[in-house]
Amino acid sequence: MTKKHAFLDALKVFGLGFSWGGYESLAVASHIGDRVIAKGPYEGPLIRLQIGLEDVADLKADIEAGLAAARAA
């Protein structure tokens, strides 16, 4: 399992997918290699987070759990 998949699989508060204007927090793996404008250097996987209206402490704990899972992968 890749680190980005381990991160996403560990999330409990964040849903998976793109935001269509809702209020919930979402996460999705992203790729910016095909961008022409505002393309900057980056290393490793890229996860896009859409922050919603859930409790901040819950969101932080969920991200921390995802990062711990990615480190262990």
Side-chain angles (χ1 to χ4, degrees):
M1 179 179 296
T2 66
K3 291 186 180 294
K4 78 176 160 188
H5 289 116
F7 178 90
L8 292 171
D9 285 347
L11 297 176
K12 302 291 185 220
V13 177
F14 283 85
L16 300 180
F18 292 98
S19 174
W20 293 96
Y23 60 86
E24 61 277 334
S25 293
L26 300 168
V28 66
S30 294
H31 174 70
I32 61 171
D34 58 349
R35 292 204 178 181
V36 179
I37 298 172
K39 183 177 179 181
Y42 70 94
E43 293 182 27
L46 181 65
I47 305 289
R48 178 183 174 160
L49 299 176
Q50 169 70 32
I51 305 301
L53 299 177
E54 297 87 355
D55 184 73
V56 173
D58 292 341
L59 294 173
K60 285 182 175 181
D62 209 29
I63 292 170
E64 289 172 2
L67 291 172
R71 280 191 295 271

